[in-house]
Amino acid sequence: MNDDVDALPADGVYVGNAGKDAALDRGWLLGHFKDAGDPRHSDAVEIKWGVHPRGDERAQWVSGEERTALLVLISGRFRVELPGRTVTLAEQGDYVVWGKGVDHSWHAEEESVVLTVRWPSVPGYQVG
């Protein structure tokens, strides 16, 4: 399919594969961290294609969150931990949205693929 893939296309169009491209940048497909000339560069939004083996979990809770996030289950079974609440995404298309100031963590109960959209795209967020 990807005969059209070009890292920095002159026409402003990027064609790729989420599974392959995600492996290049810790799952992130779009956001402030892409090169400025790349059509996938954005200060407004970040998009991640997350592929998680069974038992995979966030190394530590995110606290002091400054973004809003949407997490959509593509396949598997995925648990999102929020203050005072646990959300289990079990059917394709199940999703959860949380806003600024909502701490969170997650755990893949089964091998899972999730699509995460966060906004705005804020530099400096990364678990060491």
Side-chain angles (χ1 to χ4, degrees), residues 57-73:
E57 60 186 14
R58 188 144 182 49
Q60 64 190 50
W61 274 68
V62 172
S63 59
E65 180 61 79
E66 294 182 22
R67 300 162 297 192
T68 299
L70 161 71
L71 189 144
V72 182
L73 181 70

Side-chain angles (χ1 to χ4, degrees), residues 56-111:
D56 194 18
E57 60 186 14
R58 188 144 182 49
Q60 64 190 50
W61 274 68
V62 172
S63 59
E65 180 61 79
E66 294 182 22
R67 300 162 297 192
T68 299
L70 161 71
L71 189 144
V72 182
L73 181 70
I74 306 298
S75 64
R77 186 174 173 94
F78 200 80
R79 186 175 71 231
V80 178
E81 303 287 344
L82 303 162
R85 184 171 187 184
T86 298
V87 176
T88 302
L89 307 175
E91 294 183 29
Q92 184 178 56
D94 285 353
Y95 69 94
V96 59
V97 177
W98 62 90
K100 294 178 182 179
V102 177
D103 299 345
H104 69 280
S105 190
W106 52 260
H107 177 85
E109 293 184 355
E110 297 176 358
E111 183 174 319

Side-chain angles (χ1 to χ4, degrees), residues 2-127:
N2 287 340
D3 294 336
D4 295 333
V5 171
D6 185 357
L8 292 174
D11 65 359
V13 175
Y14 181 93
V15 177
N17 175 277
K20 292 177 184 176
D21 288 355
L24 303 175
D25 202 0
R26 297 178 345 272
W28 293 102
L29 302 175
L30 190 144
H32 73 275
F33 33 77
K34 297 294 185 184
D35 292 334
D38 190 323
R40 298 169 299 162
H41 176 87
S42 174
D43 293 324
V45 66
E46 300 172 350
I47 298 178
K48 182 176 188 177
W49 183 260
V51 178
H52 302 279
R54 178 187 208 125
D56 194 18
E57 60 186 14
R58 188 144 182 49
Q60 64 190 50
W61 274 68
V62 172
S63 59
E65 180 61 79
E66 294 182 22
R67 300 162 297 192
T68 299
L70 161 71
L71 189 144
V72 182
L73 181 70
I74 306 298
S75 64
R77 186 174 173 94
F78 200 80
R79 186 175 71 231
V80 178
E81 303 287 344
L82 303 162
R85 184 171 187 184
T86 298
V87 176
T88 302
L89 307 175
E91 294 183 29
Q92 184 178 56
D94 285 353
Y95 69 94
V96 59
V97 177
W98 62 90
K100 294 178 182 179
V102 177
D103 299 345
H104 69 280
S105 190
W106 52 260
H107 177 85
E109 293 184 355
E110 297 176 358
E111 183 174 319
S112 300
V113 177
V114 295
L115 179 73
T116 304
V117 180
R118 298 190 304 203
W119 61 95
S121 184
V122 180
Y125 270 93
Q126 183 176 331
V127 174

